[in-house]
Amino acid sequence: MVSNLAGRCSCGAVKYRMTSVPMFVHCCHCRDCQRQTGSAFVLNALIEADRVELLAGETRVYPQPTDSGRAHVIHRCPACGTAMWSIYGGREEARFVRVGTLDDPTALKPDVHIFTRSKQPWVQLPPGVPVFEVYYDTKSLWPAESLARRAALFNKQTPT
């Protein structure tokens, strides 16, 4: 069990804590992630927004163009610009927290490598971790507990 899932931006103005383990961790090799991070991939921990506790500061929202055309916003520290998490498809109830912002970024490892069709050729993927050229079937790969959390998150009814 992971015990410390606190993190911060580069300058320390924005601090947060995940109050539980994430549902799933993606290592995404798509061109959008490469462009937006300036790196070969991004490591994102998918977690419910209400399980990310903001301890200090506020983030600033930066809408991003995507190859798919689907909505994507990055929450960044307004002082130093560090990307803290993303929201995809306008689904505000979920966050894709940047694992590299954790105080201990070794606390979470990828559960899957996605969009490897655009993976940099020098990146070597570890054995034993599922790899997909594009995306995958969530229901066949996620643990039952994570699927239940996801269903509860996305099937909430809006009060009338």
Side-chain angles (χ1 to χ4, degrees):
M1 179 73 176
V2 178
S3 61
N4 181 16
L5 293 175
R8 64 179 183 82
C9 64
S10 294
C11 72
V14 177
K15 296 179 183 177
Y16 71 92
R17 179 176 68 93
M18 287 190 275
T19 61
S20 75
V21 295
M23 291 181 280
F24 213 67
V25 180
H26 288 152
C27 185
C28 184
H29 299 266
C30 78
R31 294 284 188 229
D32 285 336
C33 286
Q34 291 178 28
R35 187 178 310 107
Q36 293 160 4
T37 63
S39 187
F41 53 83
V42 68
L43 199 56
N44 284 321
L46 176 54
I47 190 168
E48 300 90 329
D50 64 2
R51 294 183 186 206
V52 179
E53 180 182 6
L54 200 56
L55 303 174
E58 295 290 331
T59 60
R60 182 177 297 154
V61 173
Y62 291 86
Q64 299 295 303
T66 63
D67 291 339
S68 70
R70 298 177 73 192
H72 175 203
V73 296
I74 299 176
H75 285 250
R76 295 181 177 275
C77 170
C80 67
T82 300
M84 305 302 293
W85 52 78
S86 284
I87 296 174
Y88 292 95
R91 304 299 297 260
E92 294 284 336
E93 60 270 48
R95 292 188 179 164
F96 288 74
V97 175
R98 299 294 196 275
V99 172
T101 65
L102 289 171
D103 293 338
D104 179 9
T106 66
L108 299 173
K109 63 178 182 48
D111 293 307
V112 66
H113 288 268
I114 57 175
F115 292 95
T116 59
R117 68 181 178 196
S118 50
K119 174 184 80 61
Q120 294 298 313
W122 47 265
V123 171
Q124 299 296 310
L125 301 179
V129 179
V131 173
F132 296 90
E133 283 195 10
V134 184
Y135 204 70
Y136 61 94
D137 177 35
T138 303
K139 292 178 183 174
S140 68
L141 198 57
W142 283 31
E145 178 187 348
S146 293
L147 286 171
R149 286 171 58 186
R150 183 180 184 271
L153 181 66
F154 293 128
N155 293 331
K156 289 181 181 175
Q157 296 296 317
T158 305
T160 56

